[in-house]
């Protein structure tokens, strides 16, 4: 079951990114609507799969605190990703996103107490050094510089979110997390984005123009 889930995740990751890239470029001002639709679908999938795998809503107070925290992080991550992805070149954006590995590795070492051997540390240093060297020589138009800074925050938010998720899953279960966590992420996205059904309709209307 877990091998199937992992395979499905990687199989869907690329088309999901390409779709979000296309939408962010075509509709840079509809970020809230796109992200809210994404989280609504995510909640439906989470509830269905979570119950199917035996998830429960009866979690500890600490687990709920962490779930609420990560539910604030993911909508913020998606919003930052959507905005920066719509304003800077895809090559630059993907280069910056590769640093997710760096932050995730370091946070896992300090917070989850995962082992970090010398080869992994060397890889982190080389990846960070190569990314910074490329960014340092970039010559972007002034109106894109602020979006570069937003893009730099995206992998940090991702790393923090995945680290907290790992802590939650270690203390409860994956099924319970996707059942409760995905639902909270959807609610958080709708609240943060000040959900309006008219925004979704506007996106659907503009899509057919």
């Amino acid at each position: 079951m877990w091998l199937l889930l992992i395979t499905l995740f990687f199989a869907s990751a690329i088309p999901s990114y390409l779709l979000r890239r296309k939408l962010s470029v075509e509709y840079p001002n509809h970020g809230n609507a796109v992200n809210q639709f994404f989280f609504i679908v995510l909640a439906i999938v989470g509830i269905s799969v979570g119950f199917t795998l035996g998830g429960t809503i009866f979690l500890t107070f600490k687990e709920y605190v962490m779930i609420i925290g990560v539910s604030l992080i993911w909508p913020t991550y998606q919003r930052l990703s959507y905005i920066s992805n719509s304003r800077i070149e895809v090559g630059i954006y993907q280069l910056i996103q590769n640093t997710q590995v760096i932050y995730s590795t370091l946070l896992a070492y300090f917070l989850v107490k995962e082992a970090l051997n010398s080869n992994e540390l060397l890889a982190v240093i080389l990846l960070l050094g190569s990314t910074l060297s490329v960014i340092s020589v970039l010559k972007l138009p002034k109106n894109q510089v602020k979006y570069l800074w937003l893009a730099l925050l995206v992998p940090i938010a991702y790393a923090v979110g995945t680290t907290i998720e790992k802590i939650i899953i270690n203390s409860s279960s994956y099924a319970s997390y996707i059942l409760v966590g995905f639902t909270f992420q959807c609610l958080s996205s709708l609240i943060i984005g000040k959900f309006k059904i008219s925004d979704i309709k506007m996106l659907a209307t503009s899509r057919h123009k």
Side-chain angles (χ1 to χ4, degrees), residues 128-146:
L128 179 61
S130 59
T131 303
L132 290 177
S133 64
V134 172
I135 293 176
S136 65
V137 297
L138 286 178
K139 295 182 178 179
L140 296 175
K142 289 184 178 180
N143 62 343
Q144 289 189 15
V145 172
K146 64 179 180 180

Side-chain angles (χ1 to χ4, degrees), residues 6-206:
I6 292 173
T7 302
L8 290 174
F9 170 79
F10 283 107
S12 63
I14 294 177
S16 175
Y17 167 75
L18 292 176
L19 175 60
R20 290 181 64 79
R21 171 69 186 182
K22 178 179 175 62
L23 289 173
S24 66
V25 172
E26 290 187 7
Y27 311 110
N29 298 321
H30 294 341
N32 278 339
V34 172
N35 288 326
Q36 287 166 355
F37 179 77
F38 168 81
F39 279 105
I40 290 172
V41 173
L42 187 69
I44 294 172
V45 173
I47 292 171
S48 302
V49 176
F51 271 124
T52 301
L53 296 179
T56 177
I57 62 173
F58 299 106
L59 306 176
T60 66
F61 176 76
K62 180 181 179 181
E63 289 167 345
Y64 265 106
V65 169
M66 289 190 291
I67 284 176
I68 292 173
V70 81
S71 296
L72 295 173
I73 291 173
W74 284 126
T76 303
Y77 159 81
Q78 293 288 4
R79 181 60 177 157
L80 290 174
S81 174
Y82 194 93
I83 294 173
S84 57
N85 201 9
S86 66
R87 303 295 182 178
I88 62 178
E89 295 180 9
V90 62
I92 298 173
Y93 178 82
Q94 270 310 115
L95 174 67
I96 294 173
Q97 299 323 297
N98 289 338
T99 60
Q100 292 175 356
V101 178
I102 299 173
Y103 305 122
S104 297
T105 301
L106 294 177
L107 286 175
Y109 175 75
F110 288 108
L111 298 181
V112 190
K113 306 302 180 183
E114 290 190 352
L116 179 63
N117 59 44
S118 57
N119 290 333
E120 291 172 331
L121 181 59
L122 178 60
V124 166
I125 293 173
L126 290 175
L127 181 57
L128 179 61
S130 59
T131 303
L132 290 177
S133 64
V134 172
I135 293 176
S136 65
V137 297
L138 286 178
K139 295 182 178 179
L140 296 175
K142 289 184 178 180
N143 62 343
Q144 289 189 15
V145 172
K146 64 179 180 180
Y147 298 110
L148 176 63
W149 285 106
L150 289 180
L152 290 170
L153 293 175
V154 173
I156 297 175
Y158 176 89
V160 173
T162 53
T163 301
I164 296 176
E165 281 185 336
K166 184 172 182 61
I167 295 173
I168 296 171
I169 293 171
N170 286 342
S171 65
S172 58
S173 70
Y174 183 76
S176 296
Y177 172 69
I178 62 175
L179 170 61
V180 180
F182 287 9
T183 303
F184 270 80
Q185 288 175 34
C186 176
L187 293 174
S188 177
S189 174
L190 298 181
I191 293 172
I192 292 175
K194 299 179 180 179
F195 176 74
K196 295 179 181 178
I197 191 64
S198 58
D199 291 340
I200 303 294
K201 291 181 178 179
M202 180 175 61
L203 178 62
T205 302
S206 63

